[in-house]
Amino acid sequence: AQSVTQLDSHVSVSEGTPVLLRCNYSSSYSPSLFWYVQHPNKGLQLLLKYTSAATLVKGINGFEAEFKKSETSFHLTKPSAHMSDAAEYFCVVSDPPEAGNNRKLIWGLGTSLAVNP
Amino acid sequence: EPEVTQTPSHQVTQMGQEVILRCVPISNHLYFYWYRQILGQKVEFLVSFYNNEISEKSEIFDDQFSVERPDGSNFTLKIRSTKLEDSAMYFCASSEPGRGGSEAFFGQGTRLTVV
């Protein structure tokens, strides 16, 4: 069965310092992995996705994530936080079509990122 | 850039009333989904829809819920008799066909408040 664990419910960083949001997953298949961001009172926006190509994935707004199969991890990083990065971040897993899950997305609980001036 | 649109952005309804949440998926997409997010909780899968029928539904999606694609463009979620616990943000999503993990594009959501 699929599952996603976001290891931190809240992360607080200072502006200009690195961001690390941790995510571990489990899947019986070779899943696709996503990070979505939700700003206050906004919808869900895709930051980046991994779909079995390059293990280091670059996304929007300077974010990137590295797929590590041996560690079943897909941590999200950014070298330098900006005030506008303050939001809720969701790690999401989706099995391939052969899993028969109809591409259903399984969501982590989310990590709230605060950026301090 | 194509996007998923949802209306209304906010709906307030009395307990026991029927509500219809509307979504216009991206035009060439074939997979459609509804998710919900109760305040402070995780995003939960409700239902997926493909080829004019439900392909999967969660335990949450009981007989009070139904989905429809009435005219080839809209994708609606109906809650027949709303309960207080149905208050949540409801997100519609769509994805295109093809192998691998297709990105799901989400609408801005409809905030449903049941009073």
Side-chain angles (χ1 to χ4, degrees), chain A residues 4 32 34 36 38 41-46 49-51 88 90 94-98 100-110, chain B residues 31 33 35 37 41-45 48 50 55-56 89 91 93 95-109 111:
Chain A
V4 178
S32 296
F34 309 82
Y36 281 85
Q38 185 180 28
N41 300 313
K42 301 285 187 183
L44 295 158
Q45 181 184 21
L46 180 71
K49 64 178 178 178
Y50 165 77
T51 57
E88 190 84 10
F90 296 94
S94 175
D95 277 339
E98 55 266 31
N101 288 333
N102 297 300
R103 303 160 187 263
K104 180 173 64 179
L105 301 179
I106 302 298
W107 296 71
L109 281 169
Chain B
Y31 294 85
Y33 312 86
Y35 290 82
Q37 184 184 27
Q41 297 185 25
K42 70 192 308 184
V43 177
E44 301 172 292
F45 168 78
S48 60
Y50 172 72
S55 46
E56 186 174 357
M89 193 77 158
F91 291 102
S95 64
E96 60 187 355
R99 294 192 58 79
S102 293
E103 172 188 346
F105 289 79
F106 284 82
Q108 293 293 93
R111 182 170 298 285

Side-chain angles (χ1 to χ4, degrees), chain A residues 4 6 8 18 22 24 38 40 42 49-53 62 72 75 78 87 89 91 101 112 115 117:
Chain A
V4 178
Q6 290 184 243
D8 308 291
R22 298 183 293 167
N24 286 98
Q38 185 180 28
K42 301 285 187 183
K49 64 178 178 178
Y50 165 77
T51 57
S52 75
T72 60
H75 301 333
K78 182 173 179 177
Y89 291 80
C91 182
N101 288 333
S112 178
V115 181

Side-chain angles (χ1 to χ4, degrees), chain A residues 54-104:
Chain A
T55 56
L56 181 63
V57 182
K58 294 187 185 298
I60 61 172
N61 301 335
F63 284 94
E64 60 183 40
E66 186 171 8
F67 172 72
K68 291 186 177 180
K69 186 173 182 178
S70 60
E71 299 176 10
T72 60
S73 69
F74 191 57
H75 301 333
L76 181 71
T77 60
K78 182 173 179 177
S80 176
H82 191 272
M83 296 295 289
S84 60
D85 294 328
E88 190 84 10
Y89 291 80
F90 296 94
C91 182
V92 181
V93 64
S94 175
D95 277 339
E98 55 266 31
N101 288 333
N102 297 300
R103 303 160 187 263
K104 180 173 64 179

Side-chain angles (χ1 to χ4, degrees), chain B residues 8-15 17 19 21 39 79 82-90 110-115:
Chain B
S9 56
H10 192 183
Q11 172 98 41
V12 181
T13 188
Q14 287 201 323
M15 192 169 54
Q17 295 296 304
V19 294
L21 310 184
L39 186 65
I79 309 175
T82 50
K83 303 186 285 284
L84 293 176
E85 53 264 39
D86 294 327
S87 295
M89 193 77 158
Y90 287 81
T110 293
R111 182 170 298 285
L112 176 65
T113 303
V114 182
V115 297

